[in-house]
Every structure is written in C-alpha cells, then in structure tokens.
Amino acid sequence: MQFVQSVADLTARPQNVEILQNAGVMSMLRPLMLDVVPSIQQTAALALGRLADHSDDLAEAVVKEDILPQLVNSLASQNRFYKKAAAFVLRAVAKHSPELSQAVVACGGVEALVLCLEEFDPGVKEAAAWALGFIARHNALLSQSVVDAGAVPLLVLCLREPEMALKRIAASTLSDISKHTPELAHTVVDTGAIAQLAEMTLNPDAKLKRQVFSALSQISKHSVSLAEMVIEAEIFPAAVACLRDPDEYVRKNVTTLMREVVKHTPELSQVIVNCGGMAAVIDYLGDCHGNLRLPGIIMLGYVAAHSESLAMAVILSKGVPQLALCLSEEPEHHIKAASAWSIGQIGRHTPEHARAVATANLLPKLLQLYMDASSSEDLQLKSKTALKSVLQKCTHLPALEPLLYDAPSNILKHVVCQFSKVLPHDSKARRLFVTSGGLKKVQEIEAEPGSPLQEYINAINSCFPEEIVRYTRARYRTSKPLRVCMCV
C-alpha cells in the first residue's frame, strides 16, 4: 500500500512523470489493479489515470499494456471509489486523440461508463459523464457509439440532479454529442434535452450557464427545424439578459447561440432582432475584445445578409461604427476578416446601405487591408469582396473620390463605374468632380482600349463639354486651378 500510494503521490507532479516512465512504473502498477485490497486497486488506478492524463505517449502505453480491458471488466463489481478512479483512467486515455478514444470504445469502455451513469453516487455519474464527453467530442463516429450505448437519456436525467458539478458535466457532454451532425443533435432533442436546458438558462451558476448555452448552440447550428425548437422553448428574450452576465464566457456563448439561430432564415433573424438581441450584441461588442468579439461580429453579418430591412436594422442599431472599431482595433487577422465580411453584407444591398458603410470611412480601410502584403490571404480576399460589393452600390461620390488615387486597376474599374452612373444625372456632382481634381485624375488613368474601364472613362468624359475635357487632359500634370463654367 505504501508503494502504490508513493507512486500516486509522485504522479501528481509533472516533473516526476518521465522518471517514473523510465523506471517502468506502468508494468508495476498493472498487477496492483488486481490486488485483493480495494484501496490498493483504487490508488493504482488513480496513478495510471494521472500518467495517462500527462501525455498521449503515456496514454498509448496504458493501451499497449492491456490495462483497459482489465479496468472495464472489474468496473461492475467494484465500489464507488474504484469506479471514479477507473472512469478517470478512461477519460485520461480518451482525451488525447480519436484513436485512443476508439481503444476505449473497443474494450467496452463506453457501455461500462453508461452503466456508471445509473449509479446512485453523483461522483460516479460525474466521472462517467466526463469520460463520455471526452470520447464524444472527437468525431461523429465516436459520438454515435456513445449514443448507441444509451447514454443520452441518462445524461438528460443527470441535468435534473441537484449536484451542480454533475449538471455542468452532463450539459457539456450533451453539447459534445450534438455538435457533429443533425442526426446526433436530433437524438439529443428527442430525449427532451431542450426543455431541461432551457430551465437552466437563468441559473445563477456561471459555469453551468456556459455549458447550457454551448449545448443549445450546438443543437441550433445544424438546421432550421432544430433552431426553431430552441426558439419555441422560449429561451428568448430571457437569454438576452445573460449578455450582461459578469462571466465573459457566458456572454460569448449566448452570442454564439444567437449567431447559430440567425444564420438560418430571415424569420429567425427577425425573432432575435425583435427581442432586442441584436442591439444587445452590438453593445456587447463594445465591452469585449479579441476572440470574444468573433461570434457577435459574424452574427451581425448573418442578420444583414438576409434582407435589405434586416441590414438596415443593423445600421440603425449603430452596428456599422462598432464593426469599424473591430476592424481597426483587433490585431488578429481572422477577426479583421470576419469584420470585413460583415461590413460587406451590410453595404451590398442598396445605395443607402452602401452610404452607411462609406460615411464610416470604411472604404479606404478595406482597400488598405486588401493591398497590405502582410494581411493574411483570407483577410485580403474578404476585404476585396466586401469592397467590391459595397462599391457596386455606392453613389456617395465624396467617399469614392479618394479611391481614384489609391485603388489598383481591378478595384478602380468599380470606382470609375459608379462615377459614370452618377455624374450624368447630377450637375452639382459634376462641378465638384472638376474642381476637386477628380476629372483630371480620370484623364491620368491608363486603360486598355475597348476595356470596361475605358468605356466608363468615356461615359464620364461625355458628361462634360469637350473643351473642358481637352483642357483637363492637356494640363493634367499641372496644378493650375480650373474655372468651371455653369454649363458643366
């Protein structure tokens, strides 16, 4: 007993693990798992769990030593302390990779863990649920093996238990099962999980709410019908209040849930807008930074993408200035890329939408990110796409004119195109275009004869008297001011 207790104590310190491994401690612990003294068995299992938890190499060593079948076979006949230790070993092995999780499944570990969910002791249930979650999170096949063993109804029952730790782990495991496929999410929903989860959204325990909103997000993301089931559980607008929760991960997971709901249809987006969810998310973006902002940024893009009216709702809720802050403040390129994408979704609908983006001075910023060689490939692509989609609707010429000087040819043609559409119908804009130097700049553009860009330039020139165009073209290298006659 003294030996195994000493080994267990040593495994608790990471610096000792390599020494123990080199000393062959794994093969020494294996026979102790069959010892007649229960406390020796439990302590040996605890030591093995700590070793396996340390690295995937040690977890593989546990599998190669054929310890798992021995562990699983003795689970049914042992006391609660041993069962908790055994579940810990299975979790420590399974967490590292799908292959190691499959080794746990192959030796009957999932079925043994599901039996532990039926135990009276909440500590045993918690240990078993935790191990099942680590198995399920890797992929759909492993998650299906957990479902096939009958774990889901028992996990839903665990949500009703009074112990807070058990509730948290059960919600987390249901989230891990639901995330892979619509079929797995439907299996969770069919056992009544949504109603149980909905009841806990206003629980004061922050760690529980994190897992509850995570599970609801994983269910909602797969399909319209699943998202509608979550909405029908009347989670909103009560969940919106959780965006003011002190716990930052509760706030992030609530925002993620809204993102997964709104992405499906305009009607679901409208539900979230009507309950104040979108305005609350915009406020939330102003109170957080980094990856905590990401689900909110993408949510605004999803809402705006559905329709002109929803995009206008984002504008009226002051979403554009907030996205502009995210674009300029965040150093991470993937967050900038998401911000650029959402800005593009807002501005692509009508000239009014594009004007809201343009007046926030976002067109030069998008151009800068597109042309910056240090920008990631994804950031460059999303900046270019957003810029083009907004430019194609933008008729606010003061915002377009600076791009005449800085944009590369593939962007410049869209800028010039917009001038060619607006100038023929706006005499004031034509006068300003000459006095600001815009017409002179257009003469400097070198376009291929017959190209769309050349056609746009010709259309612009045709808006002005021929002598003004000739004079501007002849003197475009000088800075001499040009008096514009009223006939322009």
Side-chain angles (χ1 to χ4, degrees):
M1 181 65 197
Q2 188 175 356
F3 167 75
V4 76
Q5 186 62 59
S6 298
V7 171
D9 291 342
L10 287 168
T11 56
R13 299 176 184 84
Q15 63 268 29
N16 297 330
V17 170
E18 189 176 350
I19 299 167
L20 291 168
Q21 183 184 12
N22 294 337
V25 74
M26 199 80 73
S27 56
M28 298 178 197
L29 288 170
R30 185 186 174 191
L32 296 176
M33 299 281 293
L34 300 173
D35 198 277
V36 293
V37 180
S39 59
I40 292 177
Q41 292 180 343
Q42 295 153 25
T43 311
L46 178 63
L48 283 168
R50 286 174 177 170
L51 288 168
D53 193 55
H54 180 74
S55 71
D56 53 355
D57 287 340
L58 285 165
E60 285 176 15
V62 170
V63 173
K64 288 175 182 174
E65 288 282 342
D66 261 351
I67 291 170
L68 295 185
Q70 182 180 314
L71 197 73
V72 169
N73 291 335
S74 57
L75 255 176
S77 58
Q78 294 291 344
N79 62 32
R80 61 195 174 101
F81 301 107
Y82 181 86
K83 287 177 179 178
K84 281 193 278 188
F88 171 52
V89 177
L90 295 175
R91 169 167 65 88
V93 171
K95 81 171 194 177
H96 294 288
S97 69
E99 294 74 22
L100 287 167
S101 283
Q102 187 58 50
V104 173
V105 174
C107 71
V110 171
E111 290 79 5
L113 289 166
V114 169
L115 287 174
C116 289
L117 289 177
E118 298 180 16
E119 288 285 325
F120 178 76
D121 184 82
V124 174
K125 290 181 181 179
E126 182 189 337
W130 205 352
L132 290 168
F134 272 99
I135 294 168
R137 70 179 49 180
H138 289 296
N139 58 45
L141 188 63
L142 288 165
S143 196
Q144 188 64 53
S145 69
V146 172
V147 170
D148 292 342
V152 174
L154 295 170
L155 288 167
V156 173
L157 286 174
C158 288
L159 294 175
R160 301 176 185 173
E161 296 287 347
E163 290 79 16
M164 196 58 66
L166 180 55
K167 287 177 183 284
R168 292 173 194 154
I169 297 300
S172 174
T173 302
L174 289 170
S175 177
D176 287 328
I177 292 170
S178 302
K179 72 181 182 181
H180 298 291
T181 66
E183 293 75 20
L184 287 165
H186 268 291
T187 302
V188 171
V189 169
D190 290 344
T191 58
I194 290 179
Q196 292 298 320
L197 292 166
E199 286 180 16
M200 294 185 287
T201 55
L202 297 179
N203 191 291
D205 185 79
K207 290 180 180 178
L208 175 60
K209 283 190 288 189
R210 288 181 194 176
Q211 303 305 333
V212 166
F213 285 117
S214 173
L216 291 168
S217 301
Q218 299 294 2
I219 291 168
S220 299
K221 75 179 184 181
H222 293 292
S223 68
V224 174
S225 61
L226 286 167
E228 286 174 345
M229 288 179 193
V230 171
I231 292 290
E232 287 163 7
E234 299 183 354
I235 288 164
F236 298 101
V240 176
C242 292
L243 281 173
R244 296 188 294 275
D245 194 278
D247 187 275
E248 62 184 18
Y249 290 103
V250 171
R251 300 196 300 271
K252 181 186 179 184
N253 289 357
V254 172
T255 309
T256 303
L257 170 59
M258 292 191 207
R259 180 194 71 193
E260 300 300 353
V261 169
V262 302
K263 74 180 184 182
H264 293 293
T265 66
E267 292 76 20
L268 286 169
S269 287
Q270 195 65 58
V271 170
I272 300 299
V273 171
N274 290 347
C275 75
M278 187 181 69
V281 166
I282 291 169
D283 290 341
Y284 162 76
L285 288 176
D287 296 332
C288 63
H289 297 280
N291 280 320
L292 294 173
R293 276 176 160 171
L294 194 56
I297 291 168
I298 297 172
M299 178 210 160
L300 295 180
Y302 279 143
V303 172
H306 285 303
S307 69
E308 292 178 13
S309 60
L310 284 166
M312 187 53 67
V314 177
I315 292 169
L316 295 175
S317 297
K318 312 295 184 189
V320 174
Q322 195 59 68
L323 287 170
L325 280 175
C326 295
L327 193 66
S328 61
E329 290 178 354
E330 292 298 332
E332 295 290 337
H333 286 197
H334 68 284
I335 301 176
K336 285 183 181 290
S339 302
W341 175 80
S342 290
I343 289 163
Q345 298 306 312
I346 293 167
R348 69 182 177 83
H349 293 284
T350 69
E352 191 176 359
H353 293 82
R355 186 187 181 98
V357 171
T359 53
N361 202 34
L362 282 167
L363 298 182
K365 182 64 178 174
L366 289 170
L367 180 63
Q368 176 199 337
L369 291 170
Y370 166 53
M371 295 180 67
D372 190 342
S374 66
S375 293
S376 69
E377 187 178 339
D378 184 52
L379 176 54
Q380 287 181 331
L381 177 62
K382 285 188 168 59
S383 297
K384 180 179 78 169
T385 304
L387 188 58
K388 283 185 175 181
S389 62
V390 176
L391 285 175
Q392 286 166 4
K393 294 293 181 181
C394 186
T395 57
H396 184 58
L397 300 188
L400 292 177
E401 195 160 324
L403 302 186
L404 286 172
Y405 297 86
D406 302 321
S409 59
N410 61 328
I411 300 296
L412 187 62
K413 69 180 179 183
H414 297 288
V415 179
V416 177
C417 176
Q418 292 309 106
F419 278 102
S420 72
K421 290 177 184 176
V422 176
L423 289 174
H425 312 290
D426 191 332
S427 59
K428 183 180 178 183
R430 291 198 294 274
R431 284 195 294 273
L432 289 171
F433 193 58
V434 176
T435 56
S436 67
L439 184 60
K440 184 179 81 168
K441 179 60 187 172
V442 167
Q443 308 314 309
E444 297 176 22
I445 297 171
E446 296 179 4
E448 291 286 331
S451 66
L453 179 56
Q454 186 61 61
E455 290 177 13
Y456 301 146
I457 292 171
N458 293 342
I460 291 171
N461 289 342
S462 69
C463 299
F464 299 91
E466 189 177 339
E467 59 271 21
I468 290 181
V469 175
R470 278 202 309 269
Y471 183 77
T472 307
R473 190 177 291 147
R475 290 179 165 268
Y476 74 80
R477 285 191 174 90
T478 74
S479 57
K480 184 176 178 179
L482 178 66
R483 293 173 65 102
V484 185
C485 64
M486 292 304 292
C487 62
V488 173

